[in-house]
Every structure is written in C-alpha cells, then in structure tokens.
Amino acid sequence: MKVAVVTGASKGIGRAIAKALAKEGYKLALGARSVEMLEELSREIGGAFYSYLDVSKPESVAEFAEKVLKEFGGVDLLVANAGIPMGGRLDEVSEEDMKRVFDVNTFGVWRTIKAFLPSLKERKGTVVVVTSYISTMILPNAGPYVASKWAARAITKTFQLENPEVKFIELRPGKVDTYFYGKPGRKIEEGFMKPEDVAELLISLLKLPEHVLVEDVLFRSIY
Ligand code: NJP
C-alpha cells in the first residue's frame, strides 16, 4: 500500500485530495494547523495518521516529517498543497505580510519537499505541488500572492531537474470553491470549480503509465 502525505489537509482542496487518495487505497499522513479538523477527517475516511503542521515553521516541518517517517518508514507521494492568499499592491504591502505569504506558499513548499526528498528518492515517488493558474501570469493588486506562486513554481521545476528519479507535478487550478475566498458555497456558474474536481484530476494523473511525466496542469472552470 502506498503512503501519501497531504499538507493543508484540514480544508478545501487538500481535504478533497485526502479523501480521494483514501478511496484509492493510499495510507495517509495528514498535516495542517487545525488538528481538530484533521481528526474529524481521519474519522470520516476510516482512520488516518494526522499531526499538527505549520509549513511556515522549519521546526514544525522537521517534527512532522520525523513523525510521518517513523510511522510509515517512507513515503511514495507528497502533496504540497498548504497555501494562503495575500492581496494588495506591492508598494503598500507590509514587510510582515510579504514574509508571511512567502513563508507559507514558497518556503513552506521548499521545506516540505526537502524534508521528504530522501524517502521520495528511495521509493521513486511523486511530488504534487498545488501552485495556481497565476504561477506564470501577472495580476495587479495580488503581487504578494502571485510572486509567491511564481517562486513555488521555480522551486518545483528546479527540484525536478536536480532529482530526476522523483516525479514533480505542478497543479495550477483556476478558482476553486474553498475557504480561500472566505466561506465556501460559490456556484460553478460563477466560475468556481469544486475541490473534488481538483482531486479527481490528481487521481487521473496518478494512474498514468509509469514512464509518463506530466510536468504541470493548468485547468479551470469553463465559465
Ligand atoms: O484553501 P483553504 P484552498 N501550515 O483555505 C492550510 C491554492 N489555490 O484549499 O493550517 C500548514 O480552503 C489550511 O489548514 P490550517 C492555494 O494557494 C487555491 O483553496 O488548518 N497548513 C488549509 O487546510 C493553496 O496552495 C485556489 O488553516 C496551512 C489549507 O492550507 C491550495 O490551493 C486557486 C498553513 C488551505 O485551505 C489550497 O488552498 C488557486 C500553514 N502555515 C490556487 N496555512 C482557489 N481556492 O481558488 C494554511 O489558483 N494551511
């Protein structure tokens, strides 16, 4: 049975991915800050390992990885999904907010991959990084978020070149109905996909033949 780690598993896209992976028979290690939500998810999917994880804190990532590797002995799939929004003009955003968004969306991805990389290399595993459709585009008033996702893309691509034995897939969703935009409840007709759509896409990618590498996927609602 393969072992999958999902960061940001408490809500939204990460939660939907965790549920879909459980259905496919993966053994799961779930990480996020909201441990109660992870506990509830674990119960819902019939039991999964979960632990507090703050990807913005190096010591939290190290502790999480140590616990997961101790529990399972290794991992086959890492879904680096945890992320936060951060809008604002670049000439107005505070030093603190700029650092915060990079610490989660960029350094968080780097730290998590780095922590699990030796095991992923050993098992010829797969890393899925949830960046954004925005990771090659520019938008005004969203510079902090956009820059953090461009950098996360660069990190993902660099890891791939340096570690050809591991597959790195960059998922670049358009708008998804999660807590990202406040409370979920938006309609598909308003241009939102469902978190389950992202999970379904990921599962289909994981079922491709071994020799196929999908480097990135840009996808959105048709509306
Ligand atoms: O958002 P939301 P999504 N350490 O808010 C966790 C990208 N994306 O599912 O820690 C660890 O429902 C948080 O858990 P908690 C987006 O950039 C989205 O939409 O308990 N975990 C929760 O589980 C992000 O990378 C859209 O608060 C941390 C999860 O992250 C990914 O999709 C469009 C954390 C966020 O759940 C998932 O976001 C797009 C930390 N420090 C890209 N901080 C979209 N929704 O439209 C947060 O292009 N989390």
Side-chain angles (χ1 to χ4, degrees):
M1 222 187 268
K2 289 195 169 178
V3 177
V5 177
V6 183
T7 73
S10 60
K11 293 177 227 157
I13 294 170
R15 194 178 180 97
I17 287 176
K19 282 191 198 175
L21 289 171
K23 246 190 199 162
E24 292 295 317
Y26 280 80
K27 283 195 273 185
L28 287 174
L30 312 171
R33 292 163 305 169
S34 316
V35 179
E36 281 149 40
M37 293 178 98
L38 294 180
E39 187 186 0
E40 182 201 290
L41 173 60
S42 167
R43 251 185 283 118
E44 208 180 307
I45 60 180
F49 174 90
Y50 61 88
S51 184
Y52 178 88
L53 170 65
D54 183 345
V55 298
S56 72
K57 305 265 186 320
E59 57 286 357
S60 176
V61 175
E63 198 180 309
F64 176 76
E66 198 185 320
K67 278 190 202 162
V68 172
L69 293 170
K70 195 172 167 202
E71 176 78 16
F72 296 107
V75 300
D76 303 278
L77 173 65
L78 165 65
V79 183
N81 160 77
I84 56 168
M86 185 65 71
R89 288 173 58 99
L90 283 184
D91 54 2
E92 286 175 359
V93 65
S94 67
E95 183 85 14
E96 196 190 6
D97 281 350
M98 196 68 178
K99 280 187 178 151
R100 191 152 64 92
V101 71
F102 269 79
D103 236 336
V104 178
N105 295 359
T106 310
F107 302 133
V109 165
W110 165 70
R111 275 182 200 117
T112 314
I113 295 174
K114 196 169 168 229
F116 287 102
L117 194 59
S119 174
L120 287 159
K121 282 172 92 155
E122 207 179 282
R123 295 200 177 188
K124 296 196 183 339
T126 300
V127 176
V128 175
V129 181
V130 181
T131 61
S132 172
Y133 70 98
I134 214 74
S135 72
T136 63
M137 301 175 196
I138 303 292
L139 266 188
N141 305 314
Y145 180 72
V146 173
S148 74
K149 291 293 186 177
W150 275 65
R153 173 179 168 85
I155 282 170
T156 308
K157 304 293 175 201
T158 308
F159 267 123
Q160 179 66 86
L161 293 178
E162 293 173 351
N163 302 277
E165 59 276 69
V166 177
K167 284 183 180 174
F168 288 83
I169 303 174
E170 185 194 1
L171 280 191
R172 303 177 56 206
K175 288 193 288 180
V176 186
D177 181 29
T178 66
Y179 287 91
F180 197 77
Y181 293 96
K183 267 209 156 181
R186 288 171 177 80
K187 295 200 177 74
I188 289 176
E189 295 73 26
E190 294 173 58
F192 285 84
M193 293 184 288
K194 292 180 286 172
E196 291 76 20
D197 300 333
V198 183
E200 197 174 326
L201 173 70
L202 173 55
I203 298 299
S204 70
L205 294 175
L206 295 174
K207 287 182 176 171
L208 288 171
E210 191 58 39
H211 62 276
V212 177
L213 170 65
V214 177
E215 295 186 6
D216 48 55
V217 190
L218 174 62
F219 58 110
R220 61 173 175 84
S221 155
I222 59 167
Y223 295 104

